[in-house]
Structures are given as C-alpha cells and as structure tokens.
Amino acid sequence: MKNILTKIRKGYGKKLVSIHMWNAWLVLFLALSGLMLVGGFWREILGEGRVWLKWGHIVFGLALLIPVVYYLLLAAKHWKRLKGKSGQKANVIFVLTLLTGWLISGVVLWQFRLAGPRAANAALFVHDLLTWVGLPVIIYHSITRVKWLKEPNKRSITAETVPAGDSPAPIGRPRPAASSEAQPMYTRRGFIKVAVGAGLAVTLGPTFVRWIGKSLQFPGTADYAASNANALIPDPVPLAESAPPIGGGAEGSFRVYTVTDIPAFDNSNWSFTIDGLVDKKFTWNWEEFVKLQREVQVSDFHCVTGWSVYKNTWEGLPLYKLLDMAGVQDEAVTVKLYSGDGVYTDSLTLAQARMEDIMVAVMHDGKPIPNQLGGPVRLVTPQMYAYKSVKWLNRIELIAGDHVGYWEQRGYDIDAWLPNAKRV
Ligand SMILES: Nc1nc2c(c(=O)[nH]1)N[C@H]1C(S)=C(S)[C@@H](COP(=O)(O)O)O[C@H]1N2
Ligand SMILES: [Mo]
C-alpha cells in the first residue's frame, strides 16, 4: 500500500494538473446535461434522447468519483504546498464539498426507488442548491483563472516549482517578473473578474431567487391558478371538502412538465370521451361533464425525478365510477389514457384502474386545475409515480391488448408503483 501511494504521489504536480483537467471536462458535461434535463425546452426536443442523456449524466456523475478519490490520495502533499494560502485551501474544500455533495445526492436520485420519495426530495433539493451555488462559482473560476489571467505565483495547481524529491519538468511560459509590465495585466484581470461576476449575477441570479422561492414555498411564487389560460364555462363549483381544502393546502410545488406546447382549452375545443370495449360510449361536453357527481381525496404526488407535492386536495370523478357508468366488456384488459395534447398517452390495467383512489381530477385545492398543470382534467394516481398522471386527459379507451405509454416507450419502467403502494 505504501509503495503504491509513493508511486501515485510521484510527480504529483503533473498529476494534479491532469486530475484538474479531467474533472473540469466531467463537470462541464454534467452541468450541460443536467441543465438540459431540467429545462422544459429540451424535454420536448429530446424525446427519447432524454433517457439516454439521463443515463450519460448518471454514468459520468459516478465517474466523478475517480478524480475525487485520486485527488484525496494526493491531498496531503498538495495541502502542505498550500500552507499559508488560506484562500486556496478554502477553494479546494469548497470544490470537494461540491463534488461529493453532487455525487451523494445524485446517487440517491438515481436510486430513487430504493431511497423513497422523502429522501429523493431532500437529494433533489441538495443537488439543485449545489448547482445554483456551485455552477456560478465554477464558471467564475474557469473564466477568471484561465492561465493568461492568473498570476503564476497564485496558481495552486501547477506542474512546476516542486521542491526536492519530485522532478516534474517545468512547463508553461517563463514567469513574468513582478514588474511594471504586469500592472496593466492586473487591472485587466480585475476588470474581467468584476465583469464576469456581474454577468453571472444578472443571468443566473433571477433563476436562483425563483428556485429558492419555490423550494421554501414562499406564497405566490408558483401561482399557476392566476395565469390559467383555459376558458371553460361554467367554473366547477367546489364541494365543501374542497373549499377550504380538507388537506389544508398542498405542500411543495409542481414543476410544469410537458412533451408538447402547453395546450389551452375552451368550451368549443374540449370534450371527454370514454369508448372502446364498453357497453355504452360517452362523450361529454364541459357543461355536461361538470354536472357529474364529484368526490374529494387528499393525496401525495411524486415524480420520478425526485420532487413531490404533499397533501393535494383533489376533486373529481373516481375512475372506477366512470368505468361502471360505461360498462366494461369482458374482453377489455387495458385502460388507455389519452392527453388532449395529441401526443402523450399512458395506460393502466383494469385492476389498477379500479383502485378507489385513481381519480379523473377537475379541481386542486378548491380551484380548477390550471392548464399548465394539466387542467381542465388530469388523471391522479396516488400510489404510482406521476408519469401515469396524464395531463389534459380527454379520452379513456378500453382495449383488449397492451398499451405502452409515452415515457414507457422511452425507457421508463412499465411498473410505476411507489415503494409502499398496495399493488394490484
Ligand atoms: N400530457 C402529459 N401528461 C404528463 C406529462 C407530460 O409531459 N404530458 N408528464 C408526466 C410527468 S413525468 C409528471 S411528473 C407529471 C407532472 O405534472 P405537472 O406538470 O402538473 O407538475 O405529469 C405527467 N403527465
Ligand atoms: Mo415525472
């Protein structure tokens, strides 16, 4: 072991340089892929590619372990060289904390099924927080410390000037003397640092503030109800359990997900159909649909990417009651669910569809479901991950075969059960 360590530490200056480089490339890929994975814009464009990108993000994320561990093996030596340079020591600790934080929270998010929603929620919070704090610092670092900007004697990672014992070849240009020549360089450096810092604050600052607001649930930061673009008349009248909501109001905030443009509906372009292998087909318009007897439930909502919204008070039609109204025929095996976006579909087995808590929801916390969140009508599947929760639901078809839904076709598990679900 000692021998190996000595070998590893030999010429460690050069090694630090290459660790730093590999780490930089990994972080660059992870930052870009991570931002693409959360960005709604890319969700639509990537389609199936999103699942591959997610795997790439996971694999390269795990690969971060290599430079981190390799650095730790060299850390003692590096640390000695940083004696007296507290700023650089702080920088090293910051980066190590960032990388290990990303790694650990990333592993929890990757293993969300084992971890369960609570741990996944916490991990997503940490992963996001580190991103919004760490990314600007890293961008600042990489722009302001490119070699030509940095005073050579302030570099913490160099292959040169290693005292007795190691003998790396000096690389890079000769050091400029601390003469009058360096002076204009220094002011330019100062200017660029301020400019980059200000640029980052202006571009990433608002996103960070918005994210903090949502995470800490400041009221009004995610008021989708106020900007609901649906225009369906009349408004559904909430039941007493809905207003005020018996759940006490949802905790957490939805992230708006869609694979198409967000549709909006009015009385002229909205209807709801149940058809296929049924005794009696129905197509309701909005006026008829809001007259159907609704019920209220309180349930939690979990996305596979780690976020949850707890204690939602949903009001709508239990799916099994709609099935009973239509009369399901014996040959029917699968309930196929269509979104009014024209693209997204999913399915449930008949047994799943008959579970009491599967709801064709019309209201959330006493208000119509806004169009961004899938209104006027979305499915709610409390014991399954929310990709089953088809937004803008407008058709239910009973079919004899299987149907593989939108995300399942793109690699999501057919089995969407939550860890502690009562599976049927
Ligand atoms: N039509 C449609 N329904 C959908 C999706 C979608 O992209 N399109 N995304 C699903 C996923 S993965 C989740 S987590 C939830 C998100 O619901 P929200 O956008 O209201 O937060 O909707 C589900 N239903
Ligand atoms: Mo999701």
Side-chain angles (χ1 to χ4, degrees), residues 16-17 19-21 23-25 27 78 87-95 98 133-150 154-157 189 192-194 196-197 200:
L16 282 182
V17 173
I19 290 174
H20 184 258
M21 187 197 71
N23 196 49
W25 282 111
V27 168
H78 188 220
Q88 287 175 19
K89 281 187 175 175
N91 186 47
V92 169
I93 291 176
F94 177 81
V95 170
L98 194 62
V133 174
L135 212 53
V137 174
I138 288 178
I139 297 172
Y140 179 83
H141 170 94
S142 26
I143 299 179
T144 58
R145 300 211 185 174
V146 286
K147 274 201 182 113
W148 63 273
L149 274 173
K150 195 164 155 64
K154 272 203 173 173
R155 288 179 203 156
S156 57
I157 295 173
R189 205 153 48 219
I192 288 183
K193 281 187 175 181
V194 171
V196 170
L200 284 169

